[in-house]
Each structure stands twice: as C-alpha cells, then as structure tokens.
Amino acid sequence: MTKAEHVKYYALTILLPMLLMAAVTFGVGKLIVAWPTGEAEVSRSLAAGRTPLWNTLTDFGTSLSDTPYIVALTAIAAIVFRLVYKRWRESIFLIAAVWSQSLIFLATTTPVGRHRPPVQHIDPAPPTSSFPSGHVSAAVGFYCSVALILSMHVRNRALQVVIWVLGIAAPLIVAFSRLYRGMHFLTDVTWGLLLGIGCVVMAARAILYRRDRQRGHQAPELVRPA
C-alpha cells in the first residue's frame, strides 16, 4: 500500500468511526438530559445502603480506572507487548483502543453537560459532566483490549476463559463503583460500557485483525499477520 492508501485506510477505519461514535454519544447525551429518566431513584437507593465496607471496596473498584493508572498501565503494557511479541501490532492496537475512547469522551462530555446524581458524592467531582462515564469507557478500552491480546496468544481454552472473565469483570466493577459512589447515573455507565466496546472493536478491526490483500502485498510491520 502507498502512503496515500494508508492514510485513506486509517481515515476510514479509525477516524470516521470515531467521529460517528462522538456524534452518537453527543446526541444520546442531549436526549437523556432533555428527557427525565427516573434514574435518580437508583442513585438514592444505592446511597441509602452505603456501608463502610462497601465504601472501601468501591474506592478500590473506581481506582482500577483512575486516569493516572490507566495511562501508566497502557504505557507499560504497550512496552511489554512490543518486547514479548517482537512487533508493534498489539501495542498500537491497545493505544488506539484506550485513547480513542478518551478523545471521544473529552469531546462530548462538556457539551452534553449532564449534572451528577443528586446524592452525596464520595469522590471529588471532576470538571467533566456526568455523561458518559469516562472511568467505565477507559476500563473497557484497557482491560478488554489486554484480554483480547492475551487470549490471541494463549491456546489453553480454560486460561482464555479466565482472561476474559477478568477482562470483563474489571469494567463491571468500575461501573458499579461509580454508581455506588454517586458519581454517575445508570445511563452514564451503560453508555461508557458501549463506548468502550465500540472503540475496542474499531481498533481491533483496523489494526489487530487487518489483512492487506491488495495485489498480494504484505502489510507493514505495524499490522503484519503473525
């Protein structure tokens, strides 16, 4: 593929899907803000049942996707994958999945402008709005991407199941923790899950599973099949 063909390919497989996901996220957020959803009762119910034990457990749960940790873990994992697999494909996929959801979140959360749930917020409220949950989308982007990469290189089916159970459990723990701690409504974390999944699928199709079939050319090192 020529340089122009590479630019066209990534524009169609990464940039365009990101723009579409950002537009849909913005539209859904504005609809949720405009139409009462009744979700405040869920937040009040969780807040009423808080206990010291669950406060501690959810503090750990939400920290699984705190921005400094996700940034550091992504960098470390990208370096490890490059050294272990002797190529860039897995590392670039991971970075693309994590940072694409972050860019979409940052581009949409302030314009949507949804207020936090009307309960006590256990954590400090960041300057972004409640929709969507950046913690949840980041958790999906990182943990599910790592699970996908590891499961591709493991032949043992039982180990693959364990990897995916952990990869799926982490975002769900983060989602519940953010709900419990009064930082998000149910639709915020639900859309965070969907946004994260969308970014992982997009990056996987564009990078991890890419095959260059044009005129029998091999794909570049970035995406060369194993």
Side-chain angles (χ1 to χ4, degrees), residues 41-97:
E41 291 305 315
V42 176
S43 298
R44 293 190 183 99
S45 177
L46 288 171
R50 289 172 180 167
T51 65
L53 174 60
W54 279 104
N55 290 351
T56 300
L57 291 176
T58 55
D59 181 43
F60 169 76
T62 195
S63 70
L64 291 174
S65 191
D66 282 345
T67 299
Y69 295 153
I70 289 295
V71 171
L73 288 172
T74 300
I76 293 170
I79 293 171
V80 170
F81 290 147
R82 174 65 180 94
L83 295 175
V84 171
Y85 300 129
K86 310 298 183 183
R87 61 186 183 189
W88 283 106
R89 181 170 61 171
E90 289 81 1
S91 301
I92 298 300
F93 156 69
L94 174 63
I95 294 170

Side-chain angles (χ1 to χ4, degrees), residues 23-224:
V24 173
T25 299
F26 174 77
V28 171
K30 282 299 186 182
L31 286 175
I32 290 174
V33 170
W35 293 348
T37 61
E39 299 171 85
E41 291 305 315
V42 176
S43 298
R44 293 190 183 99
S45 177
L46 288 171
R50 289 172 180 167
T51 65
L53 174 60
W54 279 104
N55 290 351
T56 300
L57 291 176
T58 55
D59 181 43
F60 169 76
T62 195
S63 70
L64 291 174
S65 191
D66 282 345
T67 299
Y69 295 153
I70 289 295
V71 171
L73 288 172
T74 300
I76 293 170
I79 293 171
V80 170
F81 290 147
R82 174 65 180 94
L83 295 175
V84 171
Y85 300 129
K86 310 298 183 183
R87 61 186 183 189
W88 283 106
R89 181 170 61 171
E90 289 81 1
S91 301
I92 298 300
F93 156 69
L94 174 63
I95 294 170
V98 172
W99 284 101
S100 60
Q101 62 77 31
S102 179
L103 291 173
I104 295 170
F105 164 75
L106 291 173
T108 57
T109 182
T110 299
V112 169
R114 190 182 196 186
H115 295 300
R116 301 281 172 179
V119 297
Q120 180 186 4
H121 304 149
I122 299 180
D123 297 323
T128 54
S129 73
S130 189
F131 183 93
S133 172
H135 271 75
V136 175
S137 62
V140 175
F142 176 76
Y143 293 105
C144 289
S145 291
V146 170
L148 181 57
I149 291 170
L150 294 178
S151 64
M152 287 177 57
H153 294 276
V154 171
R155 296 184 180 277
N156 185 282
R157 184 57 58 89
L159 186 54
Q160 289 178 340
V161 171
V162 172
I163 290 171
W164 272 110
V165 167
L166 295 175
I168 293 172
L172 294 179
I173 290 171
V174 172
F176 174 77
S177 297
R178 299 301 284 171
L179 276 174
Y180 175 91
R181 299 174 75 80
M183 305 310 298
H184 289 288
F185 292 100
L186 181 59
T187 48
D188 301 334
V189 299
T190 299
W191 197 260
L193 290 169
L194 295 175
L195 175 59
I197 291 171
C199 290
V200 171
V201 171
M202 173 200 69
R205 287 175 59 86
I207 299 171
L208 204 58
Y209 296 129
R210 177 185 170 185
R211 297 292 184 270
D212 186 354
R213 299 186 179 90
Q214 293 189 10
R215 296 186 297 275
H217 291 174
Q218 284 188 331
E221 181 185 4
L222 170 64
V223 292
R224 185 166 57 240

